[in-house]
Amino acid sequence: MKIAARAAAGIAALALAVTVAHPQPAGAAPDADPSASATAPTPPPTPTSPTAPPPDGPATANPSDTTEHTVPMGGWDRPYLLHVPPGRGDGERLPLIVALHGGLNDPQYVREQSGLDAIADAEGYAVAYPKGLLGTWNAGACCWFARWAGVDDVAFLDRLIDTLVEQGVADRRRVFLTGFSNGGGMAYRYACERSGRVAGVAVVSGALAVGCTPDRPISVLAFHGTWDPSVPYFGGGNLDADVKFPFLPVRLLMEFWRWLGGLSALSWPLPDAPDGCVGTSPGPVRVALCTIQRGGHEWPSFASGLIASFFEERPSLPAS
């Protein structure tokens, strides 16, 4: 049976067919600052597909620094930070990690939160830190403002990745996504809709908020605390302030990813990882979960190193 057909059946069983609405928001996103205003300002233009010419020139002029760039999306120049390790050789294409910030955060926040620059320098990755609309990503049923405005963040990530490939920075066959909270949900959404472009995904305190029918199995590493108040480990609550659909239990979500690939049970301890990190049996496609007992809505100190190791073990995508 084709993966898409199996996934559709699995989603029905797991109640993942979430109806994505776009009403005006009535409250804060799951990972939002409770003190933030709930009044939505007028957003910039949000085209549904990238049609603009190439962006602001090569992103490799100063490879030892983290530099600021933009991707034109119609009338909206969308910003991102790019970190390229100083040891990169001339013309060398690197594996790329796209790191997505949490709700009401920004690229600099997740850069400092994750410490991925140091990991990239040690392991030879480029890291792109894009910025969502008013600090949010349209991950499906979460999160406003991006969801309410109908922002096509999948198209934005398409253009960002294509730009870095065209500039000779990134290896198209080794593109990985990671994200925190709302950014983790966006990483899941991109993997669901662009499975042929993603070699692996790692999500911290995030939730799947969209119906998911990928064309191929996905390698997924997740980190989640049992005391997370924003994305409940055991499920429940609402995906967004005005979306009355509960978060799936984390273990049920991981069972979906495992089932999608026809993988073994999550019973293999991960090497060089704390207790509570288990995965399917080693192989090209692997699903793993690190459960942090009494952990909250946070990026664990060990997560970034384990993410790099997990990505390193994933095979490259087939040549296009």
Side-chain angles (χ1 to χ4, degrees):
M1 184 183 296
K2 293 184 178 179
I3 290 294
R6 291 188 60 198
I11 289 167
L14 294 173
L16 290 179
V18 178
T19 300
V20 180
H22 300 280
Q24 184 170 349
D31 52 332
D33 178 351
S35 66
S37 170
T39 301
T42 301
T46 55
T48 58
S49 60
T51 57
D56 56 343
T60 58
N62 193 352
S64 64
D65 292 337
T66 300
T67 50
E68 298 180 5
H69 306 273
T70 59
V71 172
M73 299 290 293
W76 181 13
D77 289 343
R78 300 203 59 175
Y80 67 97
L81 301 177
L82 178 67
H83 182 83
V84 180
R88 177 190 174 221
D90 291 342
E92 180 185 5
R93 292 183 179 271
L94 299 175
L96 172 67
I97 298 174
V98 179
L100 304 169
H101 60 74
L104 298 188
N105 290 148
D106 58 26
Q108 183 62 25
Y109 188 95
V110 74
R111 180 181 170 224
E112 296 174 358
Q113 176 188 37
S114 66
L116 279 171
D117 283 6
I119 297 295
D121 290 349
E123 304 296 336
Y125 289 91
V127 187
Y129 303 93
K131 185 176 182 179
L133 172 66
L134 299 176
T136 63
W137 300 103
N138 183 0
C142 178
C143 288
W144 64 273
F145 300 104
R147 176 181 63 83
W148 172 74
V151 177
D152 191 345
D153 281 319
V154 171
F156 171 39
L157 296 180
D158 282 344
R159 172 56 68 89
L160 171 63
I161 293 166
D162 287 344
T163 293
L164 296 176
V165 169
E166 290 165 5
Q167 292 178 348
V169 174
D171 181 350
R172 186 183 297 276
R173 298 175 63 196
R174 297 196 60 72
V175 174
F176 304 93
L177 269 70
T178 188
F180 176 72
S181 196
N182 178 207
M186 187 65 224
Y188 277 147
R189 178 174 191 174
Y190 193 79
C192 290
E193 298 185 19
R194 297 290 191 271
S195 60
R197 306 193 72 184
V198 178
V201 173
V203 169
V204 181
S205 297
L208 180 64
V210 67
C212 185
T213 56
D215 294 330
R216 55 181 289 274
I218 302 293
S219 289
V220 175
L221 171 62
F223 302 82
H224 219 107
T226 59
W227 285 6
D228 188 331
S230 299
V231 183
Y233 184 88
F234 299 102
N238 297 318
L239 285 173
D240 210 346
D242 56 348
V243 178
K244 308 306 180 183
F245 191 93
F247 291 96
L248 292 174
V250 172
R251 287 191 174 274
L252 182 60
L253 175 58
M254 302 313 291
E255 282 298 302
F256 167 72
W257 294 118
R258 181 194 70 78
W259 172 85
L260 187 69
L263 305 173
S264 70
L266 275 76
S267 58
W268 292 66
L270 297 188
D272 302 318
D275 292 342
C277 293
V278 293
T280 57
S281 59
V285 178
R286 195 173 196 190
V287 172
L289 170 65
C290 287
T291 297
I292 299 92
Q293 296 297 330
R294 301 184 180 181
H297 196 64
E298 58 197 359
W299 191 290
S301 60
F302 67 90
S304 294
L306 195 58
I307 287 170
S309 298
F310 184 80
F311 288 166
E312 176 64 26
E313 294 169 357
R314 308 281 63 82
S316 298
L317 296 173
S320 55

